[in-house]
């Protein structure tokens, strides 16, 4: 099992420095669009995606949102989707499959939301601990349940993203290890299965970044 999970180990070193995390910064070198005289098809497609996300995040956050608030969540979506997509390239380290990366995204953002809500809307935050229509006898239990569910939010965000990213890669690794000792028929079936799983992983890379951004938006809308 140690060898099985070693492909996800970020501590391997090349040239006396950890090179795995550099995959997170590669996008800075390949994204510059200012050199285009006319917008490329990729730029037009990305503008369409960001405009759609802006409209959806704006609708979720409501009329009380601060101007430019959606830019933070669009950037978060872009960062996570880029890192997830980089992990689909063979022999490239997926930084979003580790809690060191995902928890660093979710925990500071959740702390900022909580500090803003409790400082500026204290009564609203207390009222939010008891859902509307709760019987008086259940109110103390609902306060405990809502408090616990609120505290574990950054953990669930981080674990959900890391677990979904590592699960598909682990399954691809398990199937790939079965290839050398298999017959031709089984090998063809394995290759076909891995291609289908790779297509699924491409969808998961986008879906998980979208889910992370949407849940962050919903958490922020509760404290506004």
């Amino acid at each position: 099992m140690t060898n099985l999970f070693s492909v996800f180990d970020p501590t391997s070193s090349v040239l006396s420095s950890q090179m795995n995390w550099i995959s997170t910064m590669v996008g800075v070198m390949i994204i510059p669009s200012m050199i285009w005289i006319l917008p490329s098809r990729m730029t037009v497609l990305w503008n369409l995606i960001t405009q759609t996300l802006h409209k959806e995040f704006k609708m979720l956050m409501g009329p009380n949102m601060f101007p430019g608030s959606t830019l933070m969540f669009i950037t978060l979506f872009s960062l996570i989707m880029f890192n997830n997509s980089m992990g689909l390239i063979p022999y490239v380290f997926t930084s979003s499959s580790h809690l060191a990366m995902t928890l660093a995204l979710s925990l500071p953002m959740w702390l900022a939301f909580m500090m803003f809500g409790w400082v500026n809307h204290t009564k609203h935050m207390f009222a939010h601990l008891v859902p509307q229509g709760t019987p008086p006898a259940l109110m103390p239990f609902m306060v405990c349940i809502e408090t616990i569910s609120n505290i574990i939010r950054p953990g669930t965000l981080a674990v959900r993203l890391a677990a979904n990213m590592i699960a598909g890669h682990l399954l691809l690794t398990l199937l790939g290890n079965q290839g050398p000792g298999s017959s031709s028929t089984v090998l063809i079936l394995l290759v076909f299965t891995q291609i289908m799983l790779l297509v699924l992983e491409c969808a998961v890379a986008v879906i998980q970044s979208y889910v992370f951004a949407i849940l962050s938006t919903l958490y922020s809308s509760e404290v506004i």
Side-chain angles (χ1 to χ4, degrees):
M1 292 300 291
T2 303
N3 293 333
L4 183 63
F5 284 94
S6 63
V7 294
F8 304 107
D9 185 14
T11 59
S12 59
S13 60
V14 179
L15 300 177
S16 301
S17 63
Q18 293 183 6
M19 305 290 286
N20 282 327
W21 292 97
I22 292 181
S23 66
T24 306
M25 304 302 298
V26 172
V28 178
M29 297 181 286
I30 64 175
I31 285 180
S33 59
M34 294 182 291
I35 60 174
W36 291 89
I37 299 176
L38 295 175
S40 64
R41 290 181 178 87
M42 183 63 68
T43 305
V44 172
L45 176 62
W46 189 246
N47 287 338
L48 181 62
I49 292 173
T50 53
Q51 289 172 8
T52 305
L53 290 173
H54 168 70
K55 293 177 182 177
E56 185 161 352
F57 293 159
K58 185 177 180 180
M59 179 185 66
L60 289 174
M61 297 183 73
N64 296 325
M65 62 170 282
F66 293 97
S69 299
T70 58
L71 292 176
M72 178 177 65
F73 301 107
I74 292 174
T75 305
L76 185 65
F77 170 84
S78 307
L79 173 67
I80 296 174
M81 189 180 73
F82 173 77
N83 286 316
N84 293 349
S85 302
M86 285 291 294
L88 299 175
I89 303 174
Y91 303 104
V92 174
F93 168 66
T94 312
S95 58
S96 55
S97 65
H98 283 265
L99 287 177
M101 175 75 172
T102 57
L103 198 59
L105 291 174
S106 62
L107 187 58
M109 188 168 52
W110 175 83
L111 282 175
F113 293 157
M114 288 297 102
M115 291 173 62
F116 176 84
W118 284 105
V119 171
N120 296 286
H121 305 100
T122 308
K123 292 182 179 180
H124 174 76
M125 295 297 289
F126 274 118
H128 197 71
L129 294 177
V130 181
Q132 190 175 5
T134 303
L138 296 178
M139 284 183 180
F141 301 101
M142 291 305 299
V143 170
C144 295
I145 293 172
E146 289 294 326
T147 303
I148 294 172
S149 66
N150 203 352
I151 291 174
I152 66 174
R153 279 178 176 179
T156 55
L157 275 177
V159 171
R160 180 188 294 108
L161 177 58
N164 279 282
M165 292 314 300
I166 203 172
H169 291 62
L170 188 60
L171 189 56
L172 286 169
T173 305
L174 284 170
L175 290 176
N177 291 338
Q178 305 301 318
S182 304
S183 62
S184 301
T185 306
V186 176
L187 189 61
I188 293 173
L189 184 61
L190 280 175
V191 171
F192 178 76
T193 305
Q194 286 199 312
I195 291 174
M196 293 295 102
L197 283 173
L198 193 59
V199 173
L200 178 63
E201 281 297 292
C202 293
V204 169
V206 179
I207 291 170
Q208 288 305 314
S209 55
Y210 178 75
V211 168
F212 195 100
I214 282 289
L215 289 177
S216 302
T217 308
L218 291 174
Y219 295 160
S220 69
S221 65
E222 292 182 0
V223 301
I224 298 177

